[in-house]
Amino acid sequence: MGRAFQNRKLSMAKTAGMKTKIYSKYGKEIYVCAKTGGGDPDNNLSLRRIIEKAKKDQVPTHVIDRAIEKAAGAGGEDYERASYEGFGPGNCMVIVECLTDNGKRTFTDVRQAFVKNGAKLGAQGSVSHMFDHQAVFEFKFDDEDAVLEALMEAEVDVADVENEDGTITVYVPHTEFFKTKVALSEAFPAIEFDAEDITFLPQIETEIVGDDAEMFERFLAALNDSDDVQDIYHNAIVG
């Protein structure tokens, strides 16, 4: 794929905001995972993954624990997942993933962000077929052949393994996340993951410049202003 995941991730600019907003988004995701699959990370792999991700992003333990405790109580919020997609400024492709307790409010927020910033909201499937839903692992290592061999021995369905300046990046289908993590951890006990994520990676990239680039930044900011927006994926490269 030609570049390390962290570089690609910077260009994708998934989510941004102050710490309180980041904590709120992680808290909501943890709550939903715990509510649907139970509050024990050992028995709920989705919860375990989001907790590990939250800790790497320096979310305090009390935020994590409070979300799990809240999910264990009676009643509580009733969140559902919502996904929107379309074309942003400069005709880049965008996927917006949300968690909401009010679908009408969320749709209005997302639609307004598109309409007011030179973007066009599309139907489901209008751009998502141009993204690969993958798990990505990145760590310091210098032997991609050994990594590939270890993954193949574990029968992991590997999409790609890159080695860029001593950093290995592994791409696998999103359903192979835990299988891949276990295989890598067992084969190379000393490695520490710089990135371990489930994401949407664009199959092609679109460079946007000038006025489109400025409008694109405003577009991202408008989406991030919505508390319901969890993640934003796009194929834009801002020139």
Side-chain angles (χ1 to χ4, degrees), residues 4 16 24 55 89 186 210 214 226:
S24 174
K55 288 180 177 179
E186 290 181 349
E214 292 180 10
S226 172

Side-chain angles (χ1 to χ4, degrees), residues 55-127:
K55 288 180 177 179
K56 283 201 170 186
D57 282 345
Q58 300 182 337
V59 176
T61 300
H62 70 84
V63 173
I64 296 170
D65 291 343
R66 186 167 64 243
I68 295 174
E69 290 169 3
K70 192 175 180 181
E77 292 89 349
D78 184 17
Y79 293 110
E80 62 181 18
R81 298 187 185 276
S83 180
Y84 305 94
E85 52 192 276
F87 299 88
N91 209 38
C92 64
M93 295 182 290
V94 183
I95 298 173
V96 183
E97 291 197 327
C98 305
L99 278 174
T100 179
D101 58 356
N102 186 325
K104 184 176 180 181
R105 179 194 64 224
T106 304
F107 174 75
T108 299
D109 288 350
V110 172
R111 183 177 181 276
Q112 287 295 97
F114 273 80
V115 170
K116 292 183 177 181
N117 294 283
K120 182 179 179 181
L121 195 61
Q124 289 294 318
S126 57
V127 303

Side-chain angles (χ1 to χ4, degrees), residues 18-218:
M18 298 180 297
K19 285 184 178 180
T20 52
K21 181 176 283 270
I22 294 173
Y23 296 169
S24 174
K25 291 183 177 183
Y26 271 115
K28 190 184 294 185
E29 185 76 36
I30 290 167
Y31 171 88
V32 170
C33 287
K35 193 78 172 178
T36 56
D40 183 359
D42 291 333
N43 297 318
N44 184 343
L45 296 182
S46 294
L47 178 62
R48 185 197 305 176
R49 184 183 73 83
I50 197 65
I51 288 174
E52 290 175 351
K53 186 177 177 183
K55 288 180 177 179
K56 283 201 170 186
D57 282 345
Q58 300 182 337
V59 176
T61 300
H62 70 84
V63 173
I64 296 170
D65 291 343
R66 186 167 64 243
I68 295 174
E69 290 169 3
K70 192 175 180 181
E77 292 89 349
D78 184 17
Y79 293 110
E80 62 181 18
R81 298 187 185 276
S83 180
Y84 305 94
E85 52 192 276
F87 299 88
N91 209 38
C92 64
M93 295 182 290
V94 183
I95 298 173
V96 183
E97 291 197 327
C98 305
L99 278 174
T100 179
D101 58 356
N102 186 325
K104 184 176 180 181
R105 179 194 64 224
T106 304
F107 174 75
T108 299
D109 288 350
V110 172
R111 183 177 181 276
Q112 287 295 97
F114 273 80
V115 170
K116 292 183 177 181
N117 294 283
K120 182 179 179 181
L121 195 61
Q124 289 294 318
S126 57
V127 303
S128 56
H129 66 285
M130 295 299 295
F131 288 76
D132 295 321
H133 197 188
Q134 292 188 324
V136 183
F137 297 85
E138 185 173 287
F139 51 94
K140 300 294 188 297
F141 203 65
D142 59 4
D143 190 345
E144 66 268 34
D145 291 335
V147 171
L148 180 59
E149 183 179 350
L151 293 173
M152 293 183 69
E153 287 182 357
E155 298 183 346
V156 173
D157 183 14
V158 183
D160 197 9
V161 177
E162 295 178 356
N163 182 359
E164 190 165 304
D165 299 326
T167 294
I168 297 289
T169 309
V170 175
Y171 302 88
V172 300
H174 68 99
T175 53
E176 299 275 89
F177 179 91
F178 287 104
K179 187 177 182 180
T180 303
K181 185 172 181 178
V182 170
L184 291 171
S185 298
E186 290 181 349
F188 312 103
I191 66 169
E192 295 184 3
F193 295 107
D194 297 322
E196 44 180 308
D197 203 1
I198 292 178
T199 186
F200 285 91
L201 294 174
Q203 298 170 8
I204 59 172
E205 296 172 339
T206 298
E207 183 175 5
I208 54 176
V209 297
D211 291 343
D212 284 336
E214 292 180 10
M215 188 171 291
F216 178 73
E217 296 299 333
R218 293 197 297 270

